């Protein structure tokens, strides 16, 4: 099973709302990632978790708050977002994080977020 | 630093035409190389990969060969279908531990019948 699942598929939220995106994988991968993708652009890395610890935060605004409750789950908590945060949010996982010999990343289908 | 340069589209082809999407890279050492595909409204799927020089990755009729001497990993398909219409990303792992993938800008392929 090489599946990464994400919920919800679509989310519309106002600028004062609090919501969470969820991601799950059951491949035994020890690295999980959050990416943000704007239309027709490559994904931009937001966060990397390795062995359930945050290892990279790519200068993401604090209105995005990641959480890794266990090795299979990854959440992204959203609060006080701006309209420019509207994008496709992708979760991914890989066997290990980092280095030129790392295995491929498996991506979920994404959550399409619209901030009104 | 490490980088990926990918031909930008859009690429527009008729069904059964030959496809080439160029990808060159700059990297320290010899990283694994990947092609990802993103169909409309979906996430990224790994299309194929190669882990060392002269390796050929292949999947769904697509092929790419890891060329160390030209630092290239061009994607090819002999006969494209309408269903191949998608955005294609060339990628390699960043060199540092705990980091992620470096993507090319993506190439949009549109195939008409």
């Amino acid at each position: 099973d090489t599946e990464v699942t994400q919920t919800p598929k679509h989310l519309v939220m106002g600028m004062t709302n609090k919501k969470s995106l969820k991601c799950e994988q059951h491949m035994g991968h020890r690295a999980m990632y959050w990416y943000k993708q704007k239309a027709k652009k490559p994904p931009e890395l937001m966060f990397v978790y390795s062995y359930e610890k945050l290892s990279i935060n790519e200068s993401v605004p604090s209105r995005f708050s990641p959480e890794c409750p266990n090795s299979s789950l990854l959440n992204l908590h959203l609060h006080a977002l701006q309209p420019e945060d509207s994008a496709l949010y992708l979760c991914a996982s890989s066997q290990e994080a980092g280095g030129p010999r790392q295995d491929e990343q498996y991506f979920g289908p994404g959550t399409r977020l619209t901030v009104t | 630093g490490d980088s990926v340069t990918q031909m930008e589209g859009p690429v527009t082809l008729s069904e059964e035409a030959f496809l080439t999407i160029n990808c060159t890279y700059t990297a320290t050492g010899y990283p694994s190389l990947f092609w990802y595909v993103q169909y409309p409204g979906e996430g990224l799927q790994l299309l194929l990969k190669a882990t060392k020089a002269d390796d050929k990755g292949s999947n769904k009729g697509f092929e790419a060969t890891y060329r160390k001497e030209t630092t290239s990993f061009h994607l090819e398909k002999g006969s494209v279908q309408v269903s191949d219409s998608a955005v294609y990303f060339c990628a390699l792992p960043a060199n540092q531990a705990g980091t992620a993938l470096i993507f090319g800008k993506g190439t949009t392929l549109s195939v008409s019948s």
Side-chain angles (χ1 to χ4, degrees), chain A residues 24-94:
Chain A
E24 190 166 7
Q25 58 89 14
H26 293 289
M27 294 177 276
H29 289 171
R30 304 317 303 233
M32 296 186 76
Y33 311 81
W34 279 116
Y35 290 87
K36 173 183 177 180
Q37 187 183 28
K38 291 283 202 179
K40 305 284 194 193
K41 300 290 188 184
E44 298 171 23
L45 181 66
M46 299 175 73
F47 302 103
V48 179
Y49 272 84
S50 180
Y51 289 84
E52 300 165 47
K53 292 194 179 341
L54 182 63
S55 64
I56 296 231
N57 172 346
E58 291 286 341
S59 302
V60 178
S62 60
R63 57 186 184 268
F64 295 92
S65 175
E67 178 195 18
C68 189
N70 61 54
S71 59
S72 300
L73 292 174
L74 188 65
N75 298 322
L76 185 64
H77 303 297
L78 314 173
H79 173 55
L81 295 192
Q82 303 297 309
E84 60 264 29
D85 296 322
S86 298
L88 182 67
Y89 288 83
L90 294 165
C91 174
S93 70
S94 65

